[in-house]
Amino acid sequence: MAVNEMMNTELAKYQKKELELKSLLEITQAINENKPAGVLLDIFKFTCLVHLNIRSLLLYMVQGEHYEKMISHGLKKSIPDQIAGSKVNYNKATGALQIEVGTPYSFTELESYLPVFHKDKMLAILFLKKKSQEEDIDLDFTQALANILVVALENKKFAKRQLEQERLKREVEIASNVQRMLFPAELPNTPRLAAKVTYIPHSTVGGDYYDLIQKSEDEVFFCIADVSGKGMPAALLMSNFQAALRTLLRSTSDLKMVVEQLNYTTFDNTKGERFITFFLGHYHYKKRELIYVNAGHNPPVLCWEGENRTELLGAGTTILGAFETLPFLELGKRSHLTGFTVHLYTDGLIETQNQEEEEYGDVRFHQFVKERLCMSPRRFHTVLLEDLQGFSKGKAQHDDITLLSLRFQ
């Protein structure tokens, strides 16, 4: 009789180990086949309930700053879907677990718990209740299985984050390429028109835009713009804006009509949620006439070389995209121009800060221009960048910096 009992006991142990190995094989195979998280959780739940003498179980896993309920089975009392991380305290030395939850929540019907750690961080807590009081739960195997499950789920989260980062990286690369395509491939550098641009984006994708369009031998359009926001949305908005601008300029030289249409297009695309500051100038060589519109942008500096003076080009309207119809619109006009220079820039230039968080500012920039009225654009940009660097002393910039200088003769 004793021999038969021993044989039965050994057979039961063998069968139990066989079931455990089968369970282990099922979950590891599902992990290797990259099954979804829901499938892995179902396999773990099935294993616990069918093979491991478990009646009720509850699994919480860390999700950011809280613990989230992943599995709940066989519970009669209410338990929370989420528990703040600050409300969970586990003493590794004593094995004591304290969870602060108010009514009507309770964990009293569960008999035991198993913490799941990775290094010093607790990733999950598994609560259990036995099916049969005559037979114990193999806590070591259950914890090992829980560890395998939780690590697999964490790896899935990590892989998902990596994929998201790769997607964002590709998005930024696309936006950067889109933006580069918006800018002129090269700028003229002739006795008649010398142009130079300095463009320093704050990040891979900036929100600034500049352009120079020689419509005919006698007509030149030039512009600068700054779109609100950054990244792919800003790049796409600017791409659409550039396409609309170039299409309009092919059919008309009427700046009033161009700006009104650009405003409508921007408002229609963004529903007033984004806006663009914009300056557009048109110079006619034979008429020696400059016509311009400033739509809420930093006023460019016009240098009258023969008269040894400067002025700001501020006439125009408000920012584009804020209103369906522009509330006012004024064209600026300068006639009898001979040799002159225009410096167009975005606010990133004058908002450059030094170590004391003092801004470079309009006054400092305008004074810098006044002292260099007849300087070539290339030389002007070289000395201005040196001055900016000397002012900032290495302090990181907070916005895109764009400076477009045009010297007409």
Side-chain angles (χ1 to χ4, degrees):
M1 192 70 176
V3 173
N4 287 337
E5 287 180 359
M6 287 178 61
M7 288 179 64
N8 290 336
T9 301
E10 290 300 319
L11 180 61
K13 287 181 180 179
Y14 174 79
Q15 290 173 337
K16 183 178 179 181
K17 289 297 179 186
E18 189 177 32
L19 286 173
E20 289 178 352
L21 288 173
K22 183 179 178 183
S23 303
L24 185 61
L25 180 63
E26 284 179 358
I27 198 164
T28 53
Q29 186 175 350
I31 291 169
N32 290 335
E33 292 174 357
N34 198 27
K35 296 289 187 183
V39 173
L40 297 183
L41 289 166
D42 285 342
I43 292 173
F44 178 79
K45 175 182 171 182
F46 176 82
T47 298
C48 290
L49 298 176
V50 175
H51 301 319
L52 302 182
N53 192 39
I54 294 171
R55 178 191 299 277
S56 307
L57 76 157
L58 175 63
L59 176 68
Y60 281 100
M61 279 188 63
V62 168
Q63 303 287 341
E65 298 298 320
H66 62 271
Y67 287 84
E68 185 174 334
K69 181 178 68 178
M70 306 300 289
I71 299 176
S72 175
H73 180 84
L75 301 178
K76 296 179 181 178
K77 297 182 179 179
S78 298
I79 49 98
D81 292 329
Q82 290 184 352
I83 306 172
S86 58
K87 302 294 184 181
V88 179
N89 182 31
Y90 179 75
N91 190 319
K92 212 169 183 180
T94 63
L97 175 68
Q98 289 184 330
I99 301 179
E100 298 177 31
V101 289
T103 54
Y105 303 124
S106 174
F107 297 96
T108 54
E109 62 182 301
L110 295 156
E111 300 167 341
S112 55
Y113 55 83
L114 297 171
V116 178
F117 277 87
H118 177 65
K119 296 180 179 179
D120 292 328
K121 183 181 179 182
M122 188 164 68
L123 299 179
I125 313 167
L126 177 64
F127 296 89
L128 306 167
K129 183 179 181 180
K130 292 192 294 185
K131 185 185 297 182
S132 168
Q133 296 301 321
E134 289 76 27
E135 183 182 349
D136 289 328
I137 300 173
D138 188 338
L139 294 177
D140 290 337
F141 178 79
T142 305
Q143 186 158 39
L145 205 62
N147 270 287
I148 291 170
L149 170 73
V150 170
V151 169
L153 294 177
E154 282 293 304
N155 287 340
K156 277 185 171 293
K157 284 198 296 183
F158 178 72
K160 186 177 180 181
R161 284 196 297 268
Q162 279 191 315
L163 287 173
E164 181 65 16
Q165 289 172 355
E166 286 297 319
R167 186 189 66 79
L168 290 173
K169 183 180 177 182
R170 286 196 298 272
E171 182 179 292
V172 167
E173 288 174 354
I174 293 169
S176 180
N177 291 333
V178 167
Q179 189 174 49
R180 277 197 297 271
M181 292 168 62
L182 301 183
F183 300 140
E186 57 182 80
L187 295 173
N189 185 27
T190 66
R192 196 181 196 206
L193 173 57
K196 171 66 178 174
V197 68
T198 294
Y199 172 62
I200 308 172
H202 171 246
S203 57
T204 307
V205 181
D208 289 358
Y209 163 63
Y210 64 90
D211 211 343
L212 188 146
I213 302 160
Q214 294 187 281
K215 186 173 182 179
S216 68
E217 186 178 339
D218 294 321
E219 288 184 281
V220 178
F221 291 90
F222 52 93
C223 70
I224 193 165
D226 188 355
V227 62
S228 63
K230 297 289 184 287
M232 180 62 94
L236 290 176
L237 176 58
M238 198 58 86
S239 174
N240 184 279
F241 184 84
Q242 186 237 30
L245 171 64
R246 286 183 167 250
T247 300
L248 287 164
L249 291 180
R250 276 197 293 269
S251 59
T252 181
S253 295
D254 185 342
L255 264 60
K256 184 174 183 293
M257 180 187 295
V258 169
V259 171
E260 286 176 338
Q261 286 299 314
L262 287 174
N263 175 72
Y264 177 78
T265 299
T266 304
F267 183 86
D268 189 52
N269 287 337
T270 67
K271 307 306 178 187
E273 294 180 1
R274 289 181 180 270
F275 60 86
I276 297 174
T277 66
F278 178 59
F279 178 92
L280 176 62
H282 173 220
Y283 181 65
H284 198 288
Y285 282 98
K286 284 186 177 179
K287 295 179 181 179
R288 289 164 45 195
E289 183 178 78
L290 171 66
I291 300 176
Y292 70 88
V293 176
N294 189 331
H297 198 79
N298 302 94
V301 185
L302 173 63
C303 305
W304 298 72
E305 295 181 8
E307 301 179 22
N308 198 32
R309 67 182 176 89
T310 64
E311 68 168 305
L312 303 181
L313 304 179
T317 183
T318 187
I319 56 177
L320 304 184
F323 305 99
E324 187 172 5
T325 303
L326 291 172
F328 60 92
L329 179 56
E330 175 189 3
L331 294 182
K333 184 177 179 179
R334 298 294 180 270
S335 302
H336 310 298
L337 292 165
T338 53
F340 69 97
T341 300
V342 184
H343 297 292
L344 304 90
Y345 61 96
T346 56
D347 53 14
L349 189 152
I350 58 174
E351 290 175 2
T352 298
Q353 293 184 346
N354 60 17
Q355 297 297 333
E356 289 73 41
E357 298 189 353
E358 175 191 5
E359 291 187 349
Y360 190 76
D362 292 286
V363 174
R364 195 187 310 265
F365 176 65
H366 295 157
Q367 185 60 37
F368 188 92
V369 173
K370 287 178 183 178
E371 295 170 0
R372 296 161 181 83
L373 287 181
C374 300
M375 186 175 284
S376 72
R378 289 180 181 272
R379 179 61 184 157
F380 180 85
H381 281 233
T382 299
V383 295
L384 177 64
L385 282 177
E386 289 172 354
D387 197 57
L388 275 177
Q389 290 166 1
F391 174 80
S392 65
K393 292 183 172 61
K395 184 175 175 64
Q397 67 188 74
H398 298 291
D399 199 359
D400 310 316
I401 295 175
T402 304
L403 172 66
L404 175 63
S405 300
L406 308 170
R407 189 180 189 188
F408 293 87
Q409 295 290 329

